[in-house]
Structures are given as C-alpha cells and as structure tokens.
Amino acid sequence: MSDTIRITRAATLKPHPKDSELAFGTVFTDHMFRMDYKEGKGWFDPRIEPYAPFLLEPAAAVLHYAQEVFEGLKAFRGVDGKVRLFRPQKHVERMANSAKRMCIPPLDPELALKSFLTLVGVEKEWVPATVGTSLYVRPTIIANEAFLGVRPAHAYLYFVILSPVGAYYPEGMAPVKILVVDKYVRAVEGGVGGVKTAGNYAASLYASEEAKHAGFTQVLWLDGVHRKYIDEVGTMNIMVKIGDEVITPPLTGTILPGVTRDSALTLMREWDLKVSERQISIDEAILAHKQGTLKEVWGTGTAAVISPVGELTYKGEKMVINGGEIGPLTRKLYDAIVAIQYAQAPDAHNWTVEV
Ligand SMILES: *Cc1c(COP(=O)(O)O)cnc(C)c1O
C-alpha cells in the first residue's frame, strides 16, 4: 500500500458560514479524502479531492446489507490559534475494531491517522475559532461492490468528510429530559452495539422519535436481555453519581467504547473520585433517587462532550435529578475537557495532536 496522498485542489472554494450560523452536519468543506479497496489488490490510491457526490452502483452492498463503519471526532482551534485533533489515535483504533467486526479489511492505522491530519491540514481555514465550535471529522468505510449475495464485499471505499459545527449548547449547557425505554432495545451481548456501524442508528430511530413526540430529548437504553441494566443515553455513554460513587456501565460489547467516556474516567480517577465500571440497574437508580443519593446523571460523547440529564422518566414516573440543574461534577468534567480541547489548559495526557 502506497501511502503517498495525492492532492487535487478544488477549482473554486465555498464561502465559509459565520461561527454564529453554524449548526451540526449541514455544511461540508471543499475537499474530501478517498481511498479504494479491491480484493487481491488491497487499499490503494489514497487521495484528497474536491468534495463531490460519488457514483455508487444501485447494487452496492452497503445499500442493501449496511456493511459500513464510521467515526466521529473533532478538530479545534485553540485560543493560541493552532488547530488540534482530540485523541485521533483512539478513533483510529476504534474504527479498526468496528471494521473487524463488520468484516471490512483493515486500514493501515498510520495512514488512517494521516488521512485525518492531512485533510484537516488542507482545510485548516475551515476550523472555526469561537470556543464551542469545531470542525467535525467523519471517516466512513462502505462496501461498494455491486453484488447482492450476503457475504463480505470484495470492494470498499474509505472516505473522510469535514463539517464545521456550532457550539452544541449555544445558550450554555442545559439539562435534558430522558425517557427510559423498555419497549425497544438497542443491543445485546454478542451483537454489534459496541461498534460504530450504520444499522445501529437506523434501528434506534423509532424509539427516539416516539420519545421526542412525547416531549423527551432522547432515550435511555436498557440492556437487551433483562431490560433492567442501564446501557447508554441516545448516542452517548452514561454516567450516574450515587452518593460518592460514579458508576458507568462496563464495556461488555453492548455499549460503544466512547473516547469521551475514557477521557472522563481518566480525569475522575486522577481527581481521586470513586469510579466504578459496573452494571447498574434502573431500579438501583430509582431507589437512590428515593433515598436522595442520586446526585448527578450525564451523558458523554464527542458532539456534546458532557450532557447533563435533568430528568429521567421510567414507566410514567419522573425523577428530577439535582433539582433539574447541572451538577458540580458534570460542570467540572465539561470545563476540564473543553479547556484541554481549546488549549486553555495544559494537555497532560497528550490527548491533542496538532495539525
Ligand atoms: C459515538 C458514540 C458514543 C460516544 O463516543 P465518543 O467517542 O465519546 O464520541 C457513544 N455511544 C454511541 C452509540 C455512539 O455512537
């Protein structure tokens, strides 16, 4: 595999939206990264070219059987003006695990990292500067062989696109209302809940639409077997503080191994907090709420960083957490991670990589 990245520049460049007008995933930059795979040849022709629609055969395997994986990470413009990716190696690693589970041939991890860095380097001017805004990086691998048989495809396309995104909380961090669902499930052990693959999200839409129609922001998923243990909140990992203990579900294959989850766990352990990766049932959370020891609940994920949960509703019963206000640890984690991302604080863990 040659890892020289060919660069073809766009003839005309798009206007950049103002930082204050940025939403999520609606605007794409001038260039994209592409690389192809053919059985017997391997991955070939890594290149950066103008962002444009691509041709797919109607019989392309991904359209029928969803053989696909993706990632989501961000580049930030620090207060010093430099552009940095947050923990890109972790995302490369996770994409490799996802690809393996979906029978997609492995990418060279060095080249995958280089694809992020080179593309963001070409599009550096697209990285917005206001704290809270960022350039979202979406690497994706799809099976593009034209073949309707059910087996791993013999041809793939790897591409990376970039989208400048606004602050997740333009009006400041706000607690969300969550519906605990027991009618639908997201994942089971042995399934694909632990990998970032398209089908998981298609399968989750119905439950989250139902929750939205009922006035909730998102759903909290319980485990698929007992419908009892807390798994994830929407497309975020979940953390619950009961008394002095912070609890988050263990990585048993049903939840995504979030990079933000890992960052939050690392920081809290350094702060000498009691942190447990263990199963927690919804009944344990309800009991703690009744006893007044359910202190804070929050989600973790690249998009929001930390998302405070203000209310949980389960079987028609509403639990208000911390009076519906952002808890002190929720706030502290958010501030600490954001400060590292924007180089407002030292990066003691070497989490950021300068572009
Ligand atoms: C991406 C994702 C997360 C969060 O992972 P991060 O690496 O922190 O962004 C959590 N759960 C699901 C289902 C996800 O898709």
Side-chain angles (χ1 to χ4, degrees), residues 204-224:
S204 75
L205 297 176
Y206 199 86
S208 54
E209 284 303 288
E210 248 186 34
K212 278 173 200 163
H213 289 139
F216 298 93
T217 313
Q218 255 305 344
V219 301
L220 186 153
W221 298 102
L222 298 176
D223 79 281

mmCIF file of all heavy atoms in Angstrom, residues 204-224:
data_model
loop_
_atom_site.group_PDB
_atom_site.id
_atom_site.type_symbol
_atom_site.label_atom_id
_atom_site.label_comp_id
_atom_site.label_asym_id
_atom_site.label_seq_id
_atom_site.Cartn_x
_atom_site.Cartn_y
_atom_site.Cartn_z
ATOM 1 N N SER A 204 -32.333 2.586 15.914
ATOM 2 C CA SER A 204 -32.669 3.356 17.114
ATOM 3 C C SER A 204 -33.687 4.467 16.840
ATOM 4 O O SER A 204 -34.235 5.059 17.763
ATOM 5 C CB SER A 204 -31.401 3.984 17.694
ATOM 6 O OG SER A 204 -30.989 5.092 16.894
ATOM 7 N N LEU A 205 -33.922 4.775 15.557
ATOM 8 C CA LEU A 205 -34.723 5.957 15.214
ATOM 9 C C LEU A 205 -36.151 5.896 15.747
ATOM 10 O O LEU A 205 -36.675 6.885 16.252
ATOM 11 C CB LEU A 205 -34.765 6.149 13.689
ATOM 12 C CG LEU A 205 -33.414 6.426 13.009
ATOM 13 C CD1 LEU A 205 -33.588 6.495 11.491
ATOM 14 C CD2 LEU A 205 -32.802 7.717 13.542
ATOM 15 N N TYR A 206 -36.772 4.728 15.634
ATOM 16 C CA TYR A 206 -38.182 4.609 16.012
ATOM 17 C C TYR A 206 -38.399 4.962 17.481
ATOM 18 O O TYR A 206 -39.277 5.740 17.826
ATOM 19 C CB TYR A 206 -38.688 3.192 15.712
ATOM 20 C CG TYR A 206 -40.189 3.116 15.625
ATOM 21 C CD1 TYR A 206 -40.848 3.380 14.429
ATOM 22 C CD2 TYR A 206 -40.949 2.814 16.754
ATOM 23 C CE1 TYR A 206 -42.226 3.339 14.353
ATOM 24 C CE2 TYR A 206 -42.338 2.774 16.690
ATOM 25 C CZ TYR A 206 -42.967 3.035 15.485
ATOM 26 O OH TYR A 206 -44.344 2.999 15.412
ATOM 27 N N ALA A 207 -37.539 4.403 18.329
ATOM 28 C CA ALA A 207 -37.667 4.674 19.768
ATOM 29 C C ALA A 207 -37.410 6.144 20.067
ATOM 30 O O ALA A 207 -38.126 6.754 20.862
ATOM 31 C CB ALA A 207 -36.692 3.797 20.550
ATOM 32 N N SER A 208 -36.404 6.749 19.404
ATOM 33 C CA SER A 208 -36.132 8.146 19.747
ATOM 34 C C SER A 208 -37.200 9.078 19.181
ATOM 35 O O SER A 208 -37.528 10.076 19.809
ATOM 36 C CB SER A 208 -34.712 8.581 19.391
ATOM 37 O OG SER A 208 -34.439 8.317 18.069
ATOM 38 N N GLU A 209 -37.814 8.708 18.030
ATOM 39 C CA GLU A 209 -38.928 9.520 17.526
ATOM 40 C C GLU A 209 -40.111 9.456 18.486
ATOM 41 O O GLU A 209 -40.731 10.482 18.792
ATOM 42 C CB GLU A 209 -39.361 9.040 16.127
ATOM 43 C CG GLU A 209 -38.417 9.475 15.028
ATOM 44 C CD GLU A 209 -38.221 10.973 14.962
ATOM 45 O OE1 GLU A 209 -39.157 11.671 14.536
ATOM 46 O OE2 GLU A 209 -37.140 11.464 15.353
ATOM 47 N N GLU A 210 -40.416 8.267 18.967
ATOM 48 C CA GLU A 210 -41.514 8.118 19.930
ATOM 49 C C GLU A 210 -41.255 8.974 21.161
ATOM 50 O O GLU A 210 -42.143 9.672 21.654
ATOM 51 C CB GLU A 210 -41.659 6.648 20.347
ATOM 52 C CG GLU A 210 -42.940 6.040 19.850
ATOM 53 C CD GLU A 210 -43.193 4.625 20.358
ATOM 54 O OE1 GLU A 210 -42.831 4.261 21.509
ATOM 55 O OE2 GLU A 210 -43.779 3.863 19.574
ATOM 56 N N ALA A 211 -40.022 8.934 21.636
ATOM 57 C CA ALA A 211 -39.658 9.720 22.826
ATOM 58 C C ALA A 211 -39.785 11.215 22.533
ATOM 59 O O ALA A 211 -40.309 11.969 23.347
ATOM 60 C CB ALA A 211 -38.240 9.373 23.269
ATOM 61 N N LYS A 212 -39.338 11.638 21.351
ATOM 62 C CA LYS A 212 -39.414 13.069 21.005
ATOM 63 C C LYS A 212 -40.864 13.535 20.923
ATOM 64 O O LYS A 212 -41.197 14.612 21.408
ATOM 65 C CB LYS A 212 -38.675 13.351 19.691
ATOM 66 C CG LYS A 212 -37.178 13.497 19.912
ATOM 67 C CD LYS A 212 -36.381 13.609 18.627
ATOM 68 C CE LYS A 212 -34.927 13.260 18.901
ATOM 69 N NZ LYS A 212 -34.178 12.957 17.665
ATOM 70 N N HIS A 213 -41.722 12.700 20.322
ATOM 71 C CA HIS A 213 -43.143 13.065 20.248
ATOM 72 C C HIS A 213 -43.759 13.186 21.632
ATOM 73 O O HIS A 213 -44.703 13.944 21.836
ATOM 74 C CB HIS A 213 -43.917 12.060 19.378
ATOM 75 C CG HIS A 213 -43.582 12.191 17.929
ATOM 76 N ND1 HIS A 213 -43.403 11.116 17.097
ATOM 77 C CD2 HIS A 213 -43.350 13.293 17.182
ATOM 78 C CE1 HIS A 213 -43.082 11.556 15.875
ATOM 79 N NE2 HIS A 213 -43.040 12.872 15.915
ATOM 80 N N ALA A 214 -43.214 12.444 22.582
ATOM 81 C CA ALA A 214 -43.742 12.509 23.956
ATOM 82 C C ALA A 214 -43.059 13.623 24.765
ATOM 83 O O ALA A 214 -43.274 13.728 25.970
ATOM 84 C CB ALA A 214 -43.570 11.150 24.629
ATOM 85 N N GLY A 215 -42.227 14.424 24.105
ATOM 86 C CA GLY A 215 -41.652 15.589 24.781
ATOM 87 C C GLY A 215 -40.278 15.373 25.405
ATOM 88 O O GLY A 215 -39.802 16.215 26.163
ATOM 89 N N PHE A 216 -39.630 14.255 25.080
ATOM 90 C CA PHE A 216 -38.295 13.992 25.630
ATOM 91 C C PHE A 216 -37.223 14.322 24.601
ATOM 92 O O PHE A 216 -37.494 14.332 23.397
ATOM 93 C CB PHE A 216 -38.171 12.521 26.057
ATOM 94 C CG PHE A 216 -39.151 12.158 27.136
ATOM 95 C CD1 PHE A 216 -40.400 11.624 26.812
ATOM 96 C CD2 PHE A 216 -38.844 12.377 28.467
ATOM 97 C CE1 PHE A 216 -41.323 11.310 27.800
ATOM 98 C CE2 PHE A 216 -39.760 12.067 29.468
ATOM 99 C CZ PHE A 216 -41.001 11.529 29.133
ATOM 100 N N THR A 217 -36.019 14.584 25.086
ATOM 101 C CA THR A 217 -34.908 14.892 24.185
ATOM 102 C C THR A 217 -34.343 13.609 23.583
ATOM 103 O O THR A 217 -33.970 13.571 22.416
ATOM 104 C CB THR A 217 -33.769 15.606 24.948
ATOM 105 O OG1 THR A 217 -34.342 16.641 25.731
ATOM 106 C CG2 THR A 217 -32.732 16.177 24.008
ATOM 107 N N GLN A 218 -34.271 12.568 24.392
ATOM 108 C CA GLN A 218 -33.631 11.332 23.962
ATOM 109 C C GLN A 218 -34.137 10.165 24.806
ATOM 110 O O GLN A 218 -34.908 10.375 25.738
ATOM 111 C CB GLN A 218 -32.093 11.438 24.096
ATOM 112 C CG GLN A 218 -31.356 11.613 22.778
ATOM 113 C CD GLN A 218 -31.670 10.511 21.746
ATOM 114 O OE1 GLN A 218 -32.201 9.448 22.069
ATOM 115 N NE2 GLN A 218 -31.336 10.779 20.490
ATOM 116 N N VAL A 219 -33.640 8.981 24.462
ATOM 117 C CA VAL A 219 -33.998 7.790 25.238
ATOM 118 C C VAL A 219 -32.803 7.283 26.028
ATOM 119 O O VAL A 219 -31.651 7.511 25.657
ATOM 120 C CB VAL A 219 -34.497 6.636 24.327
ATOM 121 C CG1 VAL A 219 -35.722 7.074 23.534
ATOM 122 C CG2 VAL A 219 -33.401 6.156 23.389
ATOM 123 N N LEU A 220 -33.105 6.613 27.110
ATOM 124 C CA LEU A 220 -32.073 5.855 27.817
ATOM 125 C C LEU A 220 -32.350 4.393 27.516
ATOM 126 O O LEU A 220 -33.478 3.911 27.705
ATOM 127 C CB LEU A 220 -32.146 6.133 29.329
ATOM 128 C CG LEU A 220 -31.030 5.528 30.181
ATOM 129 C CD1 LEU A 220 -30.813 6.365 31.423
ATOM 130 C CD2 LEU A 220 -31.341 4.104 30.610
ATOM 131 N N TRP A 221 -31.320 3.725 26.998
ATOM 132 C CA TRP A 221 -31.481 2.321 26.613
ATOM 133 C C TRP A 221 -31.149 1.412 27.790
ATOM 134 O O TRP A 221 -30.134 1.592 28.455
ATOM 135 C CB TRP A 221 -30.526 1.965 25.466
ATOM 136 C CG TRP A 221 -30.748 2.741 24.210
ATOM 137 C CD1 TRP A 221 -30.012 3.802 23.772
ATOM 138 C CD2 TRP A 221 -31.759 2.515 23.230
ATOM 139 N NE1 TRP A 221 -30.507 4.256 22.572
ATOM 140 C CE2 TRP A 221 -31.582 3.485 22.214
ATOM 141 C CE3 TRP A 221 -32.801 1.585 23.100
ATOM 142 C CZ2 TRP A 221 -32.404 3.543 21.088
ATOM 143 C CZ3 TRP A 221 -33.618 1.653 21.978
ATOM 144 C CH2 TRP A 221 -33.417 2.625 20.995
ATOM 145 N N LEU A 222 -32.002 0.414 27.981
ATOM 146 C CA LEU A 222 -31.691 -0.627 28.959
ATOM 147 C C LEU A 222 -31.119 -1.827 28.213
ATOM 148 O O LEU A 222 -31.241 -1.918 26.990
ATOM 149 C CB LEU A 222 -32.968 -1.009 29.714
ATOM 150 C CG LEU A 222 -33.596 0.139 30.518
ATOM 151 C CD1 LEU A 222 -34.906 -0.323 31.161
ATOM 152 C CD2 LEU A 222 -32.635 0.657 31.589
ATOM 153 N N ASP A 223 -30.503 -2.728 28.946
ATOM 154 C CA ASP A 223 -29.881 -3.891 28.289
ATOM 155 C C ASP A 223 -30.946 -4.727 27.573
ATOM 156 O O ASP A 223 -32.103 -4.777 28.006
ATOM 157 C CB ASP A 223 -29.125 -4.747 29.321
ATOM 158 C CG ASP A 223 -30.076 -5.615 30.117
ATOM 159 O OD1 ASP A 223 -30.722 -5.094 31.049
ATOM 160 O OD2 ASP A 223 -30.226 -6.806 29.767
ATOM 161 N N GLY A 224 -30.556 -5.366 26.510
ATOM 162 C CA GLY A 224 -31.499 -6.064 25.646
ATOM 163 C C GLY A 224 -32.020 -7.386 26.189
ATOM 164 O O GLY A 224 -32.982 -7.933 25.657
#
